[in-house]
Amino acid sequence: MKNNDLTSKTFRFVIAIVFLVAILVVIQINYFHSDKDKKQASKRTTFTVGFDAAFPPYGYKDESGEYVGFDLDLAQEVADRNGWKLVKQPIDWDSKDMELKTGSIDCIWNGFTINGRENNYTWSKAYVDNSQVIVVKSDSGIEKKADLKGKNVMVQTDSSALEAFTGEDADEENKALCKTFAELQQVSDYNNAFLNLESGSADALCMDIGVASYEVEHRGDDYKILDERISSELYGIGFKLGNTGLRDEVQETLDKMKNDGTFEKIAEKWELSDFVCLGKPGTDEAYKKDKDEKKTSESGMFDTVKELAKGMLSSLLIFVFTLIFSMPLGLLVMAARRSKFIILSTIAKVYISILRGTPLMLQLLVVFFGPYYIFGMSVSSSYRFYAVIIGFSLNYAAYFAEIFRAGFDSIPAGQTEAAFILGYTKTQTFWKILFPQMVKRVIPPVTNEIITLVKDTSLAFALAYTEMFTLAKQIAAAQASILPLFAAGLFYYIFNFIVAFVMSRVEKSIKYNIM
Amino acid sequence: MPLLELLNIKKSFGDNEVLKDISLKVESGEVVSILGPSGSGKTTFLRCATMLESIDSGIISYDGTCAYEITEEKRYKADAENMKKARETYGLVFQNFNLFPHFDALKNVAHAPEHVKNVSKEEAKKEALSLLEKVGLKGKENLYPYQLSGGQQQRVAIARALAMHPKILFFDEPTSALDPEITAGILSILKELASEHMTMVIVTHEIDFARKVSDRVVFMDEGLIVEEGAPEDVIDNPSNERTRSFLNKLK
């Protein structure tokens, strides 16, 4: 045994070293920006546009499953005119800077707000003038900004609306307005935001006017846009900082499209004629800048870790509560599954089948939004945390139930028979004879499951519950750096290291061997 | 009044009629061996007698308390209280012992008296220690089953059964898992128990063992008792053809 301990310790040490080296390598790659993509536009054969696939009418998936939208039509025309093949690459909005930096996309073309990001990208001329507006339910009684006092307001992660309230350049009026909100929540996409608004867990959404008018028009009279606006802003195409070669080619083509009327025609098709502003005076300041130096907003590793530690607490809460509830629930489901009553065992079978057969993320959404869509109950924002715990517990109970069942089934029938002959009651047989033996048998698979749970806590983002990984993504987006994600990885690893250590201690503390 | 009375026991598994019509009475203090080739139904008979297996028909009664009476006219099963009384009458030492692996030797013996018979913890422990000493395991009280040899495990299993103070003790193939040397040790324990007037029913296919330990031998084949009597009569001078052929094969 001693020898075994030693190897496992050495093994863990090696793993930890490999992990650290990997982080260092990534940091290095992160800092050595390669310049090779600066002047390669002439040899270009494809043109990859990154966009958020849930951002109509600029770029989204239509009923037939095609990616369509105003921006994508423009991009298509630009690509066609240059003889490039257009690649429409839907991206996770939080990862847009990473995508651009690594060259997996050539530009972000997606109702991309210039204001506040002037120095972070190489910009095209602004082509849409957009404003941030407030969307509420028609019958909500909210008529002006002042009515938002004490309400839950929701914005998209790293969106212009969020920037308008909390960014460095936010004006004082908006900052003061934001302080009157009960909560300013972040959500990863607009569909989710409207689900929250409809179900009552958010009272108002702030978003771009183009998106807002499109959504409100398509979702009927239930919603309205307030007359008072939060800010006005410009949309441009964002290229990697310094990639002026490609930017110039695209801009030149756009200008031509503007001159021959194609641009206006496409704008009309998407009912955006009122918003387009390509070539209007005073809208191309960012384009003229052409700055090569990067405004560094990367804070130290220490600050990042401090930020993440806050998210760690949220992840830890999910972890602990899920374990507390899912294990006993799993035992109950297992008991039902092994029951002689066919109805009971069938219910348990179906339960396990569904909970194991569908994505946890979907189950979380159902638990959170289900009460509204099924029973018409409006859900409060504080339900968010409970929904996360309920969703996780229900899901993990299904897995634990099957692990426990396998554990019980592997105990020889002779144990039950011996207990019967000695006169133990069924309850005594279960708790005093079978249960301790089951525990011993299931420790390895349960350890696996617990480690998976640690990592699965990151799925809570689906309900806009800010746990560690969501926070890491937000920090990564704000800093345009991949470091926070690696710091988060390190957190998870340490967490799981402790879990594995504790479980191996538990296993050793059970002194007997199974025969 | 016999301590154990089994009348017209029948048991089938599907189409396979394992026990055709078996009756057996065991008087207090008797040691009875049940012999027979494998497949003769002796293990099923033992499992039915100890109620690990339900019977299709027949009567089972222990020490005057009827547990089952299933005939064409009626289906009687004792109520909880009488069933408990009947079941407290007997103990069983399993072929592979079925010790509880998560208890040490002492707890294997002391646990059931404490939790089933509500004997006090100290009392249960005291008796368990003396029983373990009786079966020759003094000093091994705190070893877990996986730390004990097969023979030692069997002794713990015997002590565990005795701790419940049964009036009749069943043994399922007590020698099958052991080598000949240890068999001798088990034989002496059984002899000692017999000298204390413990009633025992032993299922075995070892003729020598049966001859040495029992007052009466029952020979089973194809779900029926074909011959029974004193060991010197049945084993050394069998009258039945099937008994003879079985014994010849073993000689």
Side-chain angles (χ1 to χ4, degrees):
Chain A
M1 283 312 269
K2 262 260 144 357
N3 196 24
N4 233 355
D5 278 356
L6 211 65
T7 24
S8 99
K9 261 183 204 155
T10 319
F11 177 69
R12 283 179 179 173
F13 184 70
V14 168
I15 293 283
I17 293 290
V18 167
F19 198 77
L20 284 173
V21 168
I23 290 175
L24 288 175
V25 167
V26 170
I27 293 169
Q28 290 307 312
I29 292 169
N30 217 23
Y31 278 99
F32 284 104
H33 296 288
S34 85
D35 290 353
K36 67 170 190 236
D37 50 0
K38 261 189 186 170
K39 293 286 172 192
Q40 272 192 346
S42 50
K43 287 179 232 156
R44 179 169 299 279
T45 55
T46 61
F47 181 46
T48 307
V49 172
F51 67 103
D52 170 2
F55 199 65
Y58 298 100
Y60 65 101
K61 201 171 204 167
D62 71 1
E63 285 91 1
S64 60
E66 296 289 321
Y67 292 120
V68 296
F70 175 57
D71 285 356
L72 294 178
D73 278 359
L74 287 180
Q76 187 68 59
E77 184 68 22
V78 168
D80 289 350
R81 291 190 183 201
N82 285 293
W84 302 329
K85 187 177 175 300
L86 179 68
V87 179
K88 300 171 181 176
Q89 181 59 57
I91 55 169
D92 179 0
W93 198 240
D94 291 345
S95 312
K96 59 185 181 309
D97 294 322
M98 243 83 79
E99 300 269 1
L100 200 57
K101 263 190 183 177
T102 56
S104 55
I105 58 173
D106 292 319
C107 66
I108 299 167
W109 197 339
N110 192 195
F112 196 31
T113 308
I114 299 172
N115 310 60
R117 299 193 182 103
E118 289 87 349
N119 299 319
N120 298 343
Y121 303 89
T122 289
W123 287 102
S124 72
K125 291 177 190 169
Y127 63 97
V128 164
D129 182 4
N130 205 351
S131 301
Q132 294 301 309
V133 295
I134 302 157
V135 178
V136 296
K137 269 186 167 173
S138 304
D139 56 3
S140 66
I142 299 170
E143 301 293 345
K144 49 188 191 298
K145 282 195 215 170
D147 296 337
L148 292 173
K149 190 172 177 200
K151 303 287 186 191
N152 286 316
V153 179
M154 192 166 256
V155 296
Q156 191 185 20
T157 306
D158 199 32
S159 64
S160 315
L162 178 66
E163 193 66 21
F165 284 122
T166 63
E168 284 172 29
D169 302 326
D171 63 38
E172 290 307 318
E173 193 197 333
N174 282 336
K175 276 185 182 167
L177 177 64
C178 183
K179 283 203 182 103
T180 69
F181 300 159
E183 203 180 337
L184 183 69
Q185 293 163 350
Q186 298 184 33
V187 68
S188 60
D189 67 82
Y190 284 119
N191 265 329
N192 203 328
F194 271 93
L195 283 175
N196 274 284
L197 185 62
E198 189 176 357
S199 63
S201 60
D203 299 306
L205 310 178
C206 294
M207 57 177 71
D208 305 346
I209 190 168
V211 184
S213 11
Y214 178 89
E215 293 281 357
V216 168
E217 189 175 316
H218 284 77
R219 287 173 190 266
D221 296 335
D222 296 344
Y223 306 101
K224 64 174 181 186
I225 300 168
L226 297 190
D227 292 336
E228 279 188 289
R229 294 182 175 186
I230 296 165
S231 67
S232 104
E233 61 172 304
L234 301 171
Y235 283 177
I237 307 157
F239 297 87
K240 184 174 166 180
L241 206 59
N243 193 3
T244 50
L246 178 60
R247 192 273 313 268
D248 291 344
E249 275 189 273
V250 170
Q251 187 59 54
E252 207 174 300
T253 317
L254 265 180
D255 287 344
K256 279 182 195 155
M257 284 161 60
K258 168 82 182 165
N259 291 336
D260 64 20
T262 319
F263 181 80
E264 290 298 336
K265 239 165 70 188
I266 296 174
E268 252 169 62
K269 176 184 167 193
W270 294 99
E271 297 168 11
L272 287 168
S273 302
D274 295 342
F275 303 111
V276 291
C277 66
L278 186 60
K280 282 185 188 166
T283 60
D284 53 1
E285 279 166 29
Y287 167 69
K288 284 178 185 159
K289 262 188 173 171
D290 269 358
K291 280 194 172 179
D292 258 340
E293 87 270 26
K294 188 183 167 196
K295 185 178 153 194
T296 49
S297 62
E298 283 180 31
S299 51
M301 187 73 180
F302 182 68
D303 292 329
T304 305
V305 168
K306 236 168 59 183
E307 277 282 304
L308 284 178
K310 286 186 216 155
M312 186 78 189
L313 187 69
S314 304
S315 298
L316 200 67
L317 279 180
I318 301 176
F319 174 77
V320 169
F321 280 109
T322 302
L323 277 191
I324 289 176
F325 293 119
S326 65
M327 288 217 185
L329 187 60
L331 208 57
L332 269 178
V333 174
M334 186 272 313
R337 174 79 176 75
R338 283 165 60 96
S339 162
K340 283 187 197 106
F341 297 104
I342 299 204
I343 299 173
L344 209 57
S345 73
T346 309
I347 290 173
K349 253 190 234 173
V350 171
Y351 174 87
I352 291 167
S353 166
I354 291 176
L355 273 286
R356 288 201 311 179
T358 58
L360 174 54
M361 203 191 286
L362 174 67
Q363 293 162 18
L364 289 171
L365 289 171
V366 168
V367 170
F368 187 50
F369 294 116
Y372 174 76
Y373 281 101
I374 300 168
F375 308 110
M377 296 154 59
S378 75
V379 291
S380 73
S381 184
S382 61
Y383 176 57
R384 202 173 298 278
F385 176 68
Y386 300 116
V388 169
I389 301 300
I390 293 170
F392 269 92
S393 299
L394 291 178
N395 180 273
Y396 271 80
Y399 286 93
F400 282 133
E402 283 299 271
I403 292 176
F404 294 159
R405 187 169 71 94
F408 275 109
D409 287 353
S410 71
I411 300 172
Q415 292 292 308
T416 314
E417 291 181 352
F420 172 82
I421 293 289
L422 288 167
Y424 287 94
T425 63
K426 281 195 171 148
T427 319
Q428 284 175 326
T429 305
F430 181 84
W431 288 110
K432 295 186 188 298
I433 307 300
L434 301 180
F435 185 75
Q437 298 188 48
M438 183 280 285
V439 169
K440 167 95 178 173
R441 283 160 196 264
V442 302
I443 285 175
V446 163
T447 305
N448 265 347
E449 212 52 46
I450 293 178
I451 284 175
T452 307
L453 172 60
V454 171
K455 293 176 286 179
D456 270 0
T457 54
S458 61
L459 286 174
F461 84 89
L463 300 189
Y465 180 76
T466 313
E467 42 59 64
M468 186 171 59
F469 199 70
T470 309
L471 204 60
K473 270 165 73 177
Q474 287 170 4
I475 299 170
Q479 296 184 356
S481 156
I482 199 167
L483 265 181
L485 296 180
F486 273 85
L490 198 60
F491 263 104
Y492 284 113
Y493 184 75
I494 293 169
F495 197 156
N496 273 328
F497 194 91
I498 294 168
V499 167
F501 177 77
V502 169
M503 291 305 280
S504 77
R505 272 298 155 100
V506 170
E507 196 171 2
K508 273 180 197 150
S509 76
I510 300 177
K511 285 194 288 270
Y512 68 90
N513 274 4
I514 295 160
M515 293 184 293
Chain B
M1 183 178 57
L3 195 52
L4 165 63
E5 195 165 9
L6 299 165
L7 279 175
N8 308 110
I9 305 292
K10 288 182 186 169
K11 174 72 184 175
S12 300
F13 293 108
D15 293 336
N16 183 17
E17 202 179 5
V18 181
L19 301 181
K20 285 168 184 159
D21 184 359
I22 292 216
S23 299
L24 179 73
K25 283 181 190 178
V26 180
E27 299 291 335
S28 182
E30 247 193 316
V31 178
V32 178
S33 285
I34 300 175
L35 273 170
S38 48
S40 59
K42 56 190 194 301
T43 293
T44 303
F45 180 58
L46 179 97
R47 289 177 62 85
C48 285
T50 54
M51 303 183 203
L52 288 172
E53 211 72 71
S54 63
I55 54 171
D56 295 339
S57 71
I59 296 171
I60 301 178
S61 79
Y62 278 99
D63 203 11
T65 308
C66 178
Y68 286 99
E69 183 174 352
I70 298 170
T71 60
E72 273 170 26
E73 296 90 55
K74 69 173 187 179
R75 298 184 65 86
Y76 168 81
K77 185 189 172 188
D79 55 24
E81 196 186 325
N82 278 312
M83 187 57 90
K84 189 163 181 275
K85 208 175 144 198
R87 281 180 48 197
E88 276 170 0
T89 314
Y90 63 88
L92 166 63
V93 177
F94 289 87
Q95 183 173 5
N96 52 2
F97 324 131
N98 290 335
L99 293 179
F100 302 131
H102 56 306
F103 293 163
D104 62 15
L106 182 65
K107 203 169 175 187
N108 259 289
V109 181
H111 195 265
E114 190 189 331
H115 290 87
V116 177
K117 286 193 144 180
N118 295 320
V119 175
S120 77
K121 205 177 168 114
E122 298 76 46
E123 193 74 14
K125 189 181 167 185
K126 211 174 116 193
E127 191 180 2
L129 284 172
S130 85
L131 279 170
L132 284 172
E133 190 178 348
K134 180 177 176 178
V135 295
L137 288 177
K138 195 173 162 59
K140 311 262 185 218
E141 296 88 358
N142 295 319
L143 294 182
Y144 283 84
Y146 79 96
Q147 294 167 313
L148 296 169
S149 71
Q152 289 169 330
Q153 286 182 35
Q154 186 174 49
R155 286 152 191 256
V156 176
I158 293 170
R160 180 174 73 173
L162 290 174
M164 296 301 282
H165 299 289
K167 290 181 181 164
I168 176 165
L169 196 49
F170 291 92
F171 287 84
D172 187 9
E173 301 279 9
T175 57
S176 69
L178 309 172
D179 56 47
E181 246 172 276
I182 298 167
T183 305
I186 288 300
L187 184 64
S188 73
I189 290 178
L190 294 195
K191 288 227 162 181
E192 193 188 336
L193 289 175
S195 72
E196 293 163 8
H197 304 292
M198 171 62 82
T199 313
M200 289 183 279
V201 175
I202 302 157
V203 163
T204 183
H205 57 257
E206 267 205 48
I207 293 151
D208 255 1
F209 187 80
R211 191 201 336 252
K212 281 175 191 154
V213 79
S214 35
D215 305 320
R216 181 151 61 103
V217 168
V218 173
F219 185 77
M220 264 181 80
D221 194 23
E222 291 182 3
L224 289 167
I225 291 176
V226 292
E227 193 164 358
E228 64 176 299
E232 48 273 22
D233 294 339
V234 176
I235 295 171
D236 300 330
N237 198 10
S239 56
N240 186 285
E241 181 52 40
R242 276 186 284 189
T243 318
R244 268 203 294 272
S245 91
F246 172 68
L247 293 171
N248 276 335
K249 266 185 220 153
L250 287 172
K251 271 170 190 167

